[in-house]
């Protein structure tokens, strides 16, 4: 049981963003660009170890977005040709973010996450995890007009996608990964009336998609004894803006019928609703409360966090809870509107609060990067 967790992405340093632009323009070789990515990951590992969180990621430094590993590794997508999704904030400020769209038959060019995991494994003995996009998330990359030449139905597209993701999970397990987190903001989209209507207009029945998504996730993670599978749900996260609102009540079937042992859930503000849906989480599952905002620079107080953790106890026992930020800090390359100092303070707050609530770390950890003192 890890009591303090991270969701996945961390702010990309400026030098990495610059290098990505240079690489795309042909001004950096593959080797040169990989060295820049490696440096950013080394720094991300050091950051997480300094703050004391119990689980590390590579910060998703090799991705342009949280789903970038799929688009880079699998042929068949138009990177920016999908329907745009509007992100907004509480002030009503809005921008649209274009999504990928499938336009030809899927073909795996290389593993999606193997490089990320093996590099991270080589850099630290600390518990770590790999993040993987869900088939349900990628269902949004099907368009009944643009995709029909490759796949006449969304089901045909998803059947191929599930096979690819299932193979990726098996490869990660073979490489020694023991914690795999599946990211699926689209589950939370199924609670928002406007987004549900958007699905219908593109030929997808949202209620049927919920059942299909559960079936797909169970097929992807399969049966791997000793491997921890987590599911992360949020309501959109792009440059400190969101795209959906609503509580988890309409999708509690996900808690009851998927095989995930750990649910990482967004609960940082009123858009997420109350903790009541947690009463539907089975007794053998844990919930990571995403109470610390990765969207806003203001630092929450420990007292506030502890109060909310104890409020959640009214619906799920404390021993089945943990703490994390509500989402990653940079689900897309641009990142949220926080500084690196803000990010570090947030991660340290998560780790310190978790230790004070649940006591010492439950898993043996190392505060050392391989070959370096931290």
């Amino acid at each position: 049981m890890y009591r303090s967790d991270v969701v996945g992405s961390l702010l990309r340093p400026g030098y990495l963003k610059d290098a990505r632009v240079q690489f795309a323009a042909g001004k950096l070789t593959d080797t040169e660009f990989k060295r820049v990515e490696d440096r950013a990951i080394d720094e991300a590992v050091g950051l997480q170890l300094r703050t004391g969180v119990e689980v590390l990621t590579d910060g998703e430094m090799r991705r342009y977005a949280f789903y970038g590993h799929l688009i880079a590794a699998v042929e068949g997508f138009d990177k920016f040709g999908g329907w745009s999704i509007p992100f907004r904030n509480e002030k009503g400020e809005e921008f649209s973010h274009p999504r990928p769209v499938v336009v030809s038959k899927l073909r795996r060019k290389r593993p999606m996450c193997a490089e990320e995991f093996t590099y991270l494994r080589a850099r630290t003995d600390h518990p770590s995890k790999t993040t993987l996009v869900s088939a349900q998330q990628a269902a949004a990359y099907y368009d009944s007009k643009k995709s029909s030449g490759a796949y006449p139905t969304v089901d045909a597209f998803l059947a191929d996608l599930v096979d690819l993701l299932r193979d990726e999970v098996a490869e990660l397990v073979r490489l020694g990964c023991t914690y795999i987190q599946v990211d699926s903001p689209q589950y939370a989209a199924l609670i928002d009336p406007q987004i549900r209507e958007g699905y219908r207009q593109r030929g997808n029945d949202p209620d049927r998609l919920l059942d299909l998504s559960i079936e797909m996730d169970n097929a992807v993670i399969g049966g791997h004894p000793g491997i921890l599978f987590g599911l992360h749900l949020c309501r959109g996260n792009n440059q400190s803006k969101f795209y959906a609102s609503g509580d988890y009540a309409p999708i509690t079937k996900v808690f009851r019928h998927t095989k995930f042992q750990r649910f990482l859930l967004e609960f940082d503000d009123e858009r997420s609703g109350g903790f009541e849906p947690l009463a539907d989480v089975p007794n053998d599952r844990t919930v990571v409360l995403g109470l610390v905002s990765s969207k806003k620079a203001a630092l929450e107080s420990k007292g506030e966090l502890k109060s909310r953790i104890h409020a959640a106890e009214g619906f799920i026992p404390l021993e089945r809870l943990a703490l994390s930020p509500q989402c990653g800090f940079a689900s897309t390359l641009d990142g949220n509107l926080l500084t690196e100092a803000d990010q570090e303070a947030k991660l340290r707050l998560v780790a310190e609060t978790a230790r004070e609530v649940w006591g010492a770390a439950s898993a043996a950890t190392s505060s050392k990067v391989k070959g370096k003192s931290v």
Side-chain angles (χ1 to χ4, degrees), residues 134-299:
S134 72
Q136 199 272 353
Q137 174 69 26
Y141 308 157
Y142 181 86
D143 183 279
S144 57
K145 295 180 180 178
K146 296 181 179 180
S147 307
S148 58
Y151 293 100
T153 66
V154 66
D155 287 4
F157 162 59
L158 292 174
D160 278 0
L161 185 65
V162 165
D163 286 343
L164 290 168
L165 293 173
R166 182 167 48 206
D167 289 347
E168 189 70 19
V169 166
E171 178 67 2
L172 287 170
V173 172
R174 187 190 70 79
L175 291 170
C177 186
T178 58
Y179 183 179
I180 299 172
Q181 174 185 302
V182 174
D183 291 325
S184 191
Q186 287 302 121
Y187 267 126
L190 294 176
I191 66 180
D192 189 295
Q194 290 184 342
I195 298 176
R196 287 170 64 89
E197 180 56 31
Y199 270 114
R200 292 190 184 95
Q201 291 177 6
R202 291 185 301 277
N204 295 330
D205 177 355
D207 295 319
R208 178 179 174 278
L209 185 55
L210 178 61
D211 291 335
L212 176 62
S213 299
I214 291 171
E215 180 181 344
M216 290 191 298
D217 276 336
N218 286 339
V220 166
I221 65 178
H224 295 282
I227 308 302
L228 176 62
F229 287 98
L231 178 67
H232 169 60
L233 305 180
C234 76
R235 294 158 182 78
N237 180 42
N238 193 341
Q239 299 173 62
S240 292
K241 294 179 175 62
F242 55 86
Y243 70 80
S245 299
D247 67 32
Y248 294 103
I251 60 167
T252 55
K253 186 184 291 186
V254 175
F255 303 151
R256 299 191 304 274
H257 297 306
T258 60
K259 298 177 182 178
F260 294 102
Q261 304 103 316
R262 190 170 174 90
F263 297 102
L264 297 95
L265 305 179
E266 179 182 48
F267 276 114
D268 64 322
D269 61 26
E270 62 278 359
R271 288 183 306 106
S272 304
F275 296 123
E276 291 82 359
L278 299 184
D280 282 353
V281 177
N283 293 334
D284 60 347
R285 318 294 172 86
T286 60
V287 169
V288 184
L289 299 173
L291 301 178
V292 175
S293 176
S294 67
K295 290 185 173 71
K296 301 174 182 178
L299 190 64

Side-chain angles (χ1 to χ4, degrees), residues 30-208:
D30 290 337
T31 299
E32 290 169 333
F33 184 55
K34 285 299 174 187
R35 286 174 180 159
V36 177
E37 289 183 328
D38 292 349
R39 173 189 168 190
I41 294 167
D42 290 349
E43 291 177 359
V45 170
L47 163 67
Q48 292 168 93
L49 291 176
R50 284 198 308 274
T51 60
V53 292
E54 290 183 62
V55 184
L56 310 184
T57 74
D58 73 341
E60 299 179 359
M61 295 294 167
R62 301 193 194 277
R63 307 181 187 184
Y64 76 92
F66 77 95
Y67 49 81
H69 57 302
L70 172 67
I71 308 307
V74 177
E75 184 179 282
F77 294 101
D78 179 340
K79 189 174 180 179
F80 300 114
W83 56 283
S84 294
I85 184 168
F87 284 83
R88 61 189 184 279
N89 59 19
E90 293 84 354
K91 298 178 182 178
E93 298 168 336
E94 186 174 296
F95 73 94
S96 291
H97 179 75
R99 286 180 162 180
V101 61
V102 62
V103 292
S104 63
K105 286 287 187 179
L106 300 184
R107 185 182 69 83
R108 174 174 165 156
K109 296 183 290 186
R110 60 173 175 81
M112 300 177 206
C113 308
E115 178 187 10
E116 296 174 341
F117 171 70
T118 53
Y119 186 84
L120 183 60
R121 183 190 64 188
R123 301 308 297 154
T124 179
D125 292 322
H126 200 93
S128 59
K129 68 180 177 183
T130 298
T131 59
L132 181 69
V133 70
S134 72
Q136 199 272 353
Q137 174 69 26
Y141 308 157
Y142 181 86
D143 183 279
S144 57
K145 295 180 180 178
K146 296 181 179 180
S147 307
S148 58
Y151 293 100
T153 66
V154 66
D155 287 4
F157 162 59
L158 292 174
D160 278 0
L161 185 65
V162 165
D163 286 343
L164 290 168
L165 293 173
R166 182 167 48 206
D167 289 347
E168 189 70 19
V169 166
E171 178 67 2
L172 287 170
V173 172
R174 187 190 70 79
L175 291 170
C177 186
T178 58
Y179 183 179
I180 299 172
Q181 174 185 302
V182 174
D183 291 325
S184 191
Q186 287 302 121
Y187 267 126
L190 294 176
I191 66 180
D192 189 295
Q194 290 184 342
I195 298 176
R196 287 170 64 89
E197 180 56 31
Y199 270 114
R200 292 190 184 95
Q201 291 177 6
R202 291 185 301 277
N204 295 330
D205 177 355
D207 295 319
R208 178 179 174 278

